[in-house]
Amino acid sequence: MAAELTPHELIAKHRPTLDQALEAIRTRAYWSPHPEHPKAYGENGSLSAEEGKAAFEALLGDRVALDQPGTDAWVGGEVSPFGIDLGVTYPHADIDVLLPAMKAGQRAWRDAGAETRAMVCLEILGRISDRTHELAHAVMHTSGQAFMMAFQAGGPHAQDRGLEAVAYAYVEQVRTPDAAEWTKPQGKRDPLTLDKRFTPVPRGIALLIGCNTFPTWNGYPGLFASLATGNAVLVKPHPRAVLPLALTVRVAREVLTEAGFDPNLVALAAERPGEGIAKTLAVRPEVRIIDYTGSTAFGDWLEANARQAQVYTEKAGVNTVIVESTDNYKGMLSNLGFSLSLYSGQMCTTPQNLLIPRDGITTDAGPKSYDEVVADLAKSVGGLLGDDARANALLGAIVNPDVKARLEAASGLGEVALASREVTNPEFPEATVRTPVIVKLDGARKYWDGADDEAAYMSECFGPVSFAVAVDSAADAVQLLRRTVHEKGAMTVGAYTTSEEVAASIEEACLEECAQLSLNLTGGVYVNQTAAFSDFHGSGGNAAANAALCDGAFVANRFRVVEVRREA
Amino acid sequence: MAAELTPHELIAKHRPTLDQALEAIRTRAYWSPHPEHPKAYGENGSLSAEEGKAAFEALLGDRVALDQPGTDAWVGGEVSPFGIDLGVTYPHADIDVLLPAMKAGQRAWRDAGAETRAMVCLEILGRISDRTHELAHAVMHTSGQAFMMAFQAGGPHAQDRGLEAVAYAYVEQVRTPDAAEWTKPQGKRDPLTLDKRFTPVPRGIALLIGCNTFPTWNGYPGLFASLATGNAVLVKPHPRAVLPLALTVRVAREVLTEAGFDPNLVALAAERPGEGIAKTLAVRPEVRIIDYTGSTAFGDWLEANARQAQVYTEKAGVNTVIVESTDNYKGMLSNLGFSLSLYSGQMCTTPQNLLIPRDGITTDAGPKSYDEVVADLAKSVGGLLGDDARANALLGAIVNPDVKARLEAASGLGEVALASREVTNPEFPEATVRTPVIVKLDGARKYWDGADDEAAYMSECFGPVSFAVAVDSAADAVQLLRRTVHEKGAMTVGAYTTSEEVAASIEEACLEECAQLSLNLTGGVYVNQTAAFSDFHGSGGNAAANAALCDGAFVANRFRVVEVRREA
C-alpha cells in the first residue's frame, strides 16, 4: 500500500514549523504555533467548541478502538472528578503479543531518518491540535481541571511541549552528519581515507507512564522525544486519566499508518482496576526508556529497579516562595493568591511554603507585620474566589479523595489563616470543589500544641494547602529554602524582595541547589506556569525530578549513533 | 592575587582551536591539533624526547607533590610492566578534608561561564601536550604499552579525546542563551514580558576512576567533560597507573591557579595498596558524576550502587570479526594480524572471536579453507612479530599477571593454531612480552574433548588471545555476532566480505544490536583504533559501555541549567 502522506508532502507542510521551533529553543523568546484561545478553532479542519464537545460526548459509554495486536479484553472505569461516569473502555493488551508487534516496525522507522520522523510527529501534533476542543473535555473530565485550563494546558501548551521535544530530538540527531569522508595525511605516503556513515538508532521500546493531573502536558514530552528518536512508544496512562492519552495514541496510529509506517510504533497499555501493570512493564527487557510523572515512592522504585532502561522521572517536591519585601504589595498578593488557587493547588509547581519574616516586611504600602501579610494574602485569595462562578473556573475539581483528605487534615496542622470553603458547581453538582487553606506555621518551632510544624512544611502536601511559615530573617528564609530544596527537591521557587542583596542570596541558593526561580512576579505570569520553548520545567538537578522539560539531556540518550566505516 | 592568565588572553590563545574542534565534531572529517610524531616536540616550550625522558627519570623515587588539603600520608607502589620499580609516592587524602575543599572553588568556576572554562581546559591540555614525551614514559611504565604507542595513544590521541569532550561540553552549554527577553502578546492588553537568565550549573564533584591500560586516553574524556561543565574533578587512578594521571592533575592545578581559580577543582585520590577507596568515594553524597573504565563486575556495582551520581561506564565486551570473503586476502591478513598483535591484544577494542565459515571463504587468491585461513593468519602474525625488535615495539609488555595467566590457560581451550611465544626485551629484560595465541574453536560444538567451545568464545578473554571460530555459514556468523553483542556487548565489530548481501546483514545486526562496525579494513586503519572528532569509541547502546566517546549524551547531563526570571 502506498503511503498517503509522503515525506515530501510532510516536509513541505511541517518543515517551516520545525525550523521556527529550532529557532525558538535557541533564542528562548516567546513562540507558539498552537492558539490558546478556544475561538481560534473550528476552521481548516479543526473542531469548533461545539464539535469538540459533541465528539467528546460521543465517546462516552463506548470503546476507544485502536486495532492493537494482542487485545484480550476491554477495560476502563474512569469517573470524572466532575461526577460523570465516563463509561469508556480501552483495549487491554496481552503484553507478550503487543511488545513483539511494536518492534516489527522499528527498522523502517529508524531508516526513515530524523527529519521524516520529526515531520510525522508534527503531523500527529497537528491532528491533535485540530481536536483540541475534544481533548480539552477529555482532560477536564479526567484531571478535574476547569475547562479553560484543561483547554489551554491540556491542548496548546501540551502540544507546545511535544513539539519542543521533537525539536530537541531532531537537532540532537543531526549533530552528527549522515556521512563523512575522513582523510588522514601520512607524510609522503598516501593518506588514510575512510568513508563513514552514521545512523541514529533507537534504544527499543519506550514506556510512558502517565499521570492523573496533566495527562497530555506531562506525557507529550517523553512520548514525542522517544518517537522522534526512533523508538516505539507504549503509553501506560494513569487509570483515572486514560482518555486523553488513548485519543492521542489513536491519532498517532492513524498518522503512522497514513505515512506508511507500522501503527504499532505507538500503542496503549490500559489496565484493569488494581492491575498495576506499570511495575511489570517497567522491568521488561524490551523497555529501554521510561518517562514517569507521579509519586516519589514509585519514581524511586523505577530508578532503582528499571535498570535496563533510561528512566526520566518527575516526582514530588516542596515548593517555596520567600516573601521578604515588595514595591508592589497589591500585585504580589494578587499574583500569589492566583498561584495558590489555580487548579486547587494541584500542580507540581504550586507554591506550598510561604516564608515570611516574623518581624514583618517592607512594602510600597508601608511596613506589614507577618500577621498582616498572611491576613492580606488570605483576603486576596478570598476575594479572588469569592464569586462562585469565578471560583469554579479557577479551581476545577479536587482530583481524588486523597487530596480531599489532605486538605481536611491540613487545618489541624496549625492556626488556620484562611479556611477552605466548599464551592458548589451548578453544572456538575457532584464535583468536589474547595478553595485553598492557608495554615500558619513557625519555622523556629518544632513542637507546639502537639503539632510538629517542621514535619508539616518539610513534607509535600499536594493539593490546595499552603503554609505561611514565620522565619527569623531573610537569611533564615534562604537557609530554609536551601534545606528544603536539598532534602525534598522543588519544581519551582518564588521570591519577593526589593533588596539586591537578598535577591542575590536567593539566586545563589537556587544556583547551588539547582532550582528554577521566579522573582517578584506581580502581573499575569505565575510561578507555577512555564512556557515551552523558553522556560525549563524543573531543573533535573534536585530531588523533585531527574530531568527538565526540555533540554539536550532529555533527548540525547534516547538513541545512540552507530558508525559503519570502510576504506574509501 | 591577580590571575596570571586572564580570560582575554586565554580566549585569544585558544578560541581558534576550540572553533576548529567544534567544526570537526560537526563534519567528522580528520582533524587534530596534537602532532603524532615524537620529533614534532622540543620547541615552543614543549619537551624534546631527551627532556621528556629526563623529566620522567627525575620523577622516579620521588614524591609527586600536589599541595592538596587533607594530605595525611604518602602512598605508592607502581612497578612498571617493563620491570622498573617506579618508587613514586603520591599524597593520600583525608576525604573528609579534601571533598569540602574541592567544593570551595566551584562557585567561581561556575560563574566563569562555559567559554572561560573551555579556555582553561585547553590551556591545561596545551601544557599536557608540551609534556607529551614525559607522559609517554609515564604511560609506558604503567600500562606496559611500547613507547611509540604510549607516546601516541597516551599523548596526542588522549589529548584529542580530552579536547573533543571540551568541545562537546562547550557547545552543549551554549545551546541555551545566557539571557532572553520573552514577550507574549495579550491581544489588546499589554504583552506579558519577562527577563530570563540561564546559568549552567555543575552537578557537584565528579569522580574519575582510571584504568590500568589507558590511564590518559580513557581518563581525559570524563575529566575534561566534567571540568568544562563546571564540576570539580577527583581523579582516582588505577593503583598500577597513578603517575600519568597524577602528572595530569598537577598540570591542571597549576593552570587553575594561574587563571585565578581554586586548584582544588582538580585533585588526586591515590590509595594505599588494597585500600579500595573507589567504593567509598563512589557513594559519597558529594560525588554526583562518575566516569569509570574497567571490569564489568565493578562497573555493574557502580551502576547499581552509586545512585546519587550519573555513572558513565566502559566495561568489558566480546569483539567479533566476521571473515566471509575478501578481494584483498593479503591485506586482510596483515590488517587483522596487526590488530591482534598491537599492545598484546590488551585493548578493549581488540578482536577476540574471528568467525570463519567451516567450508572456507572466497578470496582474490582463490578459495581458502577454514584451516588455510587460520594458518595464513597465524603466518601473518608470526611474520609480523618474527623480528624481536619489531615484536617488542608492537607488543609492549603484559600488563599484569592475570593477563599472563589467561594467555597460558587459553592454549588448553582448543587446538592451537598459533602458539604464543616469549619475546625478550633487551632494554627491559624483566618485562613479560608474549605474542598472541590463536585457538581454533567450533561454533557448533558445545563439548569436545572435555572443552566447552561456547563457554570460551562467549566470555571476554582480555589479552593476546583470539579464537578462530568455525561457523556453518555467513548467516550463522551473523547470528552468532548478534547473540554475542546482545549478551556480552562489544566495543568493536569487524567484517570482511565482498557480498553486498552479507555486508547488509552484518550492518543490520550492528544497527539493531548497537555496535560500531569496521568493514573490509586492509590498509593502515585498524578495527581497534578510533580517531577523536570523527569515530565514536563504543556505542553506549550495548552491554560493553553505557556511554560513547564522545557525543551529546556524554556531556548533556553533567550540568543542569538554572533559570531566573523576573518581570521586565
Side-chain angles (χ1 to χ4, degrees):
Chain A
M1 187 189 77
E4 296 165 47
L5 294 168
T6 67
H8 185 76
E9 286 164 350
L10 288 169
I11 289 168
K13 186 172 173 187
H14 295 299
R15 180 77 216 198
T17 307
L18 178 64
D19 287 335
Q20 285 178 285
L22 295 171
E23 178 65 9
I25 61 177
R26 270 194 300 268
T27 66
R28 304 198 86 78
Y30 170 77
W31 180 72
S32 169
H34 301 116
E36 273 183 329
H37 200 291
K39 290 193 180 152
Y41 297 80
E43 290 183 358
N44 302 319
S46 68
L47 300 182
S48 67
E50 296 69 28
E51 291 165 338
K53 189 153 192 254
F56 168 73
E57 284 166 356
L59 294 164
L60 301 180
D62 206 352
R63 286 180 172 180
V64 174
L66 295 173
D67 199 23
Q68 286 183 179
T71 298
D72 57 14
W74 291 85
V75 295
E78 292 157 293
V79 177
S80 164
F82 292 98
I84 302 171
D85 186 344
L86 301 192
V88 185
T89 55
Y90 309 93
H92 180 276
D94 177 343
I95 290 304
D96 291 320
V97 176
L98 182 58
L99 289 180
M102 293 182 71
K103 299 198 84 164
Q106 280 197 316
R107 180 174 174 177
W109 187 235
R110 178 199 75 202
D111 289 345
E115 187 178 34
T116 295
R117 283 194 295 273
M119 296 299 104
V120 172
C121 288
L122 263 63
E123 179 67 19
I124 296 170
L125 283 164
R127 302 265 185 112
I128 289 170
S129 172
D130 287 346
R131 312 184 78 127
T132 295
H133 269 289
E134 180 187 15
L135 276 152
H137 289 280
V139 170
M140 175 179 173
H141 285 290
T142 48
S143 69
Q145 291 173 23
F147 178 78
M148 194 59 175
M149 182 168 179
F151 182 90
Q152 293 189 336
H157 298 172
Q159 295 150 22
D160 283 350
R161 283 286 178 202
L163 175 54
E164 180 188 52
V166 174
Y168 268 98
Y170 173 77
V171 81
E172 194 68 35
Q173 292 172 89
V174 300
R175 285 173 79 174
T176 303
D178 291 341
E181 183 169 296
W182 179 86
T183 302
K184 180 176 179 178
Q186 296 291 293
K188 290 170 191 163
R189 287 171 295 151
D190 285 344
L192 299 173
T193 307
L194 295 177
D195 279 337
K196 303 182 178 185
R197 281 186 301 115
F198 302 94
T199 306
V201 301
R203 285 203 167 266
I205 294 176
L207 174 66
L208 169 66
I209 304 177
C211 70
N212 196 172
T213 47
F214 289 91
T216 56
W217 198 96
N218 275 95
Y220 286 0
L223 193 168
F224 285 99
S226 288
L227 190 62
T229 48
N231 302 278
V233 182
L234 181 59
V235 176
K236 206 300 289 175
H238 191 284
R240 295 176 189 271
V242 184
L243 187 56
L245 289 176
L247 295 177
T248 300
V249 167
R250 191 162 73 179
V251 169
R253 293 173 62 87
E254 281 168 12
V255 171
L256 285 164
T257 304
E258 288 178 36
F261 295 101
D262 190 329
N264 296 323
L265 289 165
V266 178
L268 186 77
E271 60 194 315
R272 297 190 183 84
E275 190 179 356
I277 55 171
K279 272 199 174 183
T280 311
L281 292 171
V283 297
R284 287 284 299 219
E286 302 94 328
V287 169
R288 303 296 309 281
I289 298 169
I290 298 175
D291 285 273
Y292 167 76
T293 310
S295 74
T296 296
F298 192 57
D300 289 347
W301 185 91
L302 287 170
E303 291 172 15
N305 291 281
R307 299 266 316 289
Q308 86 292 353
Q310 302 289 317
V311 179
Y312 303 88
T313 56
E314 183 187 321
K315 302 178 286 191
V318 174
N319 302 320
T320 297
V321 174
I322 292 179
V323 178
E324 194 269 343
S325 53
T326 179
D327 56 10
N328 183 355
Y329 189 55
K330 203 177 145 189
M332 176 185 90
L333 294 172
S334 99
N335 186 285
L336 258 184
F338 186 94
S339 286
L340 300 182
S341 304
L342 186 63
Y343 186 29
S344 318
Q346 297 171 120
M347 300 174 73
C348 56
T349 50
T350 303
Q352 174 178 306
N353 295 341
L354 315 172
L355 311 188
I356 307 165
R358 69 178 75 253
D359 293 338
I361 69 171
T362 58
T363 81
D364 57 318
K368 301 285 176 185
S369 71
Y370 165 83
D371 284 335
E372 284 173 318
V373 174
V374 179
D376 289 340
L377 180 60
K379 226 178 288 172
S380 169
V381 173
L384 178 69
L385 304 175
D387 172 67
D388 274 9
R390 192 161 60 187
N392 276 304
L394 262 180
L395 294 168
I398 297 299
V399 65
N400 67 44
D402 291 347
V403 174
K404 188 170 164 235
R406 267 195 300 271
L407 168 62
E408 287 163 358
S411 52
L413 296 169
E415 183 192 337
V416 173
L418 176 67
S420 176
R421 179 172 80 82
E422 268 192 65
V423 179
T424 303
N425 185 321
E427 192 182 354
F428 300 106
E430 287 177 60
T432 304
V433 185
R434 295 288 186 280
T435 66
V437 65
I438 302 177
V439 177
K440 287 179 170 182
L441 297 174
D442 192 324
R445 194 169 53 195
K446 302 239 170 182
Y447 293 93
W448 172 81
D449 273 2
D452 185 344
D453 290 27
E454 189 183 24
Y457 64 69
M458 286 300 286
S459 307
E460 192 204 29
C461 188
F462 185 80
V465 177
S466 35
F467 301 121
V469 183
V471 293
D472 292 341
S473 62
D476 188 30
V478 175
Q479 179 66 19
L480 181 52
L481 166 66
R482 273 183 191 268
R483 192 186 142 208
T484 307
V485 180
H486 195 80
E487 292 180 16
K488 299 295 169 177
M491 294 301 293
T492 57
V493 174
Y496 293 91
T497 180
T498 56
S499 154
E500 281 183 28
E501 192 187 331
V502 171
S505 74
I506 295 170
E507 280 191 48
E508 183 58 25
C510 288
L511 290 169
E512 290 187 10
E513 298 300 338
C514 209
Q516 309 297 17
L517 173 63
S518 295
L519 263 177
N520 295 322
L521 297 186
T522 56
V525 176
Y526 304 96
V527 64
N528 32 348
Q529 294 179 324
T530 63
F533 309 109
S534 183
D535 293 319
F536 291 106
H537 174 74
S539 76
N542 66 55
N546 76 1
L549 305 179
C550 188
D551 61 10
F554 188 68
V555 299
N557 223 346
R558 291 177 194 261
F559 68 98
R560 306 303 310 162
V561 175
V562 170
E563 174 183 352
V564 179
R565 59 182 191 172
R566 65 190 91 203
E567 283 162 6
Chain B
M1 186 188 79
E4 296 166 47
L5 293 169
T6 67
H8 184 77
E9 287 165 349
L10 288 169
I11 290 170
K13 185 171 175 190
H14 295 300
R15 179 77 215 198
T17 308
L18 178 64
D19 287 336
Q20 284 178 285
L22 294 173
E23 178 67 8
I25 61 176
R26 270 195 300 268
T27 66
R28 305 198 84 79
Y30 171 77
W31 181 71
S32 168
H34 301 116
E36 273 183 329
H37 201 292
K39 290 192 179 150
Y41 297 80
E43 291 183 356
N44 301 318
S46 68
L47 301 181
S48 68
E50 297 69 28
E51 290 166 336
K53 188 153 194 256
F56 168 74
E57 285 167 354
L59 293 164
L60 301 180
D62 205 352
R63 287 180 171 179
V64 175
L66 294 174
D67 199 23
Q68 287 184 179
T71 299
D72 57 15
W74 291 85
V75 295
E78 292 157 293
V79 178
S80 166
F82 293 97
I84 301 171
D85 187 343
L86 302 192
V88 184
T89 55
Y90 309 93
H92 179 277
D94 177 343
I95 290 304
D96 292 319
V97 175
L98 182 58
L99 289 180
M102 292 182 71
K103 299 198 83 164
Q106 280 196 316
R107 180 173 173 177
W109 187 235
R110 178 197 76 203
D111 289 345
E115 186 179 35
T116 295
R117 282 194 295 272
M119 296 300 104
V120 172
C121 288
L122 263 64
E123 178 68 19
I124 296 169
L125 283 164
R127 304 264 184 113
I128 289 170
S129 173
D130 287 346
R131 310 184 78 127
T132 294
H133 269 288
E134 180 187 15
L135 275 152
H137 290 280
V139 170
M140 174 180 174
H141 286 289
T142 49
S143 69
Q145 291 174 23
F147 178 78
M148 195 59 174
M149 181 168 180
F151 182 90
Q152 293 189 337
H157 298 174
Q159 295 149 23
D160 282 350
R161 283 286 179 202
L163 175 54
E164 179 187 53
V166 174
Y168 268 99
Y170 173 77
V171 81
E172 194 68 35
Q173 292 173 88
V174 300
R175 285 174 78 176
T176 302
D178 291 342
E181 184 170 291
W182 179 87
T183 302
K184 181 175 178 178
Q186 295 291 293
K188 290 171 190 161
R189 286 172 295 150
D190 284 345
L192 299 172
T193 308
L194 295 178
D195 279 337
K196 303 181 177 185
R197 282 185 299 114
F198 302 95
T199 306
V201 301
R203 284 202 168 268
I205 295 176
L207 174 66
L208 169 67
I209 304 177
C211 70
N212 195 172
T213 48
F214 289 90
T216 57
W217 198 96
N218 275 94
Y220 285 0
L223 193 168
F224 285 99
S226 289
L227 191 61
T229 48
N231 302 279
V233 183
L234 181 59
V235 176
K236 206 301 287 176
H238 191 284
R240 294 176 188 272
V242 183
L243 187 56
L245 288 176
L247 296 177
T248 300
V249 167
R250 190 163 72 179
V251 170
R253 294 173 62 88
E254 279 168 12
V255 171
L256 284 164
T257 303
E258 289 178 35
F261 296 101
D262 190 328
N264 296 323
L265 288 165
V266 178
L268 186 77
E271 60 194 315
R272 297 191 181 84
E275 190 180 356
I277 55 170
K279 272 200 174 184
T280 310
L281 292 172
V283 297
R284 286 285 298 218
E286 301 94 330
V287 169
R288 302 296 309 280
I289 299 169
I290 298 175
D291 284 273
Y292 167 76
T293 309
S295 74
T296 296
F298 192 57
D300 289 346
W301 185 91
L302 286 170
E303 291 172 15
N305 292 280
R307 300 264 317 290
Q308 86 292 354
Q310 302 289 318
V311 179
Y312 304 89
T313 56
E314 183 186 321
K315 303 178 285 192
V318 175
N319 302 320
T320 297
V321 174
I322 293 179
V323 178
E324 194 270 343
S325 53
T326 179
D327 57 10
N328 182 354
Y329 189 56
K330 203 175 147 192
M332 177 185 86
L333 294 171
S334 99
N335 186 284
L336 257 184
F338 186 94
S339 286
L340 300 182
S341 304
L342 185 63
Y343 185 29
S344 319
Q346 297 171 121
M347 299 173 74
C348 57
T349 50
T350 303
Q352 175 179 304
N353 295 342
L354 316 173
L355 310 189
I356 307 164
R358 68 179 75 254
D359 294 337
I361 69 172
T362 58
T363 82
D364 56 318
K368 301 286 177 185
S369 71
Y370 165 84
D371 284 336
E372 285 173 317
V373 174
V374 179
D376 288 341
L377 179 61
K379 226 178 289 171
S380 169
V381 174
L384 178 70
L385 304 175
D387 172 69
D388 275 7
R390 192 162 58 185
N392 276 305
L394 262 180
L395 295 168
I398 298 298
V399 65
N400 66 45
D402 291 348
V403 174
K404 187 169 167 237
R406 267 196 300 272
L407 167 63
E408 286 163 359
S411 51
L413 295 170
E415 183 191 338
V416 172
L418 175 68
S420 177
R421 178 172 82 81
E422 269 192 63
V423 179
T424 303
N425 185 321
E427 192 182 354
F428 301 106
E430 288 177 58
T432 304
V433 185
R434 295 288 185 280
T435 66
V437 65
I438 301 177
V439 178
K440 288 180 171 181
L441 297 174
D442 192 324
R445 195 167 53 196
K446 301 238 171 186
Y447 294 93
W448 171 80
D449 273 1
D452 185 342
D453 291 27
E454 189 183 24
Y457 64 72
M458 286 299 286
S459 306
E460 192 203 30
C461 189
F462 185 81
V465 177
S466 37
F467 302 120
V469 182
V471 293
D472 293 340
S473 61
D476 188 30
V478 176
Q479 179 66 18
L480 182 52
L481 166 66
R482 272 183 191 268
R483 192 186 141 208
T484 307
V485 180
H486 194 81
E487 293 179 15
K488 299 294 170 181
M491 293 302 293
T492 57
V493 174
Y496 293 90
T497 180
T498 57
S499 155
E500 282 183 26
E501 193 187 330
V502 171
S505 75
I506 295 170
E507 279 192 49
E508 183 58 25
C510 288
L511 290 169
E512 290 188 9
E513 298 301 338
C514 209
Q516 309 297 18
L517 173 63
S518 295
L519 262 177
N520 295 322
L521 297 185
T522 57
V525 177
Y526 304 95
V527 65
N528 32 348
Q529 294 180 323
T530 62
F533 310 108
S534 184
D535 293 319
F536 292 106
H537 173 74
S539 75
N542 67 56
N546 76 2
L549 304 179
C550 189
D551 63 8
F554 188 68
V555 298
N557 223 345
R558 291 177 195 261
F559 69 99
R560 306 302 309 163
V561 175
V562 170
E563 174 183 353
V564 179
R565 60 181 189 170
R566 65 188 93 204
E567 284 162 6

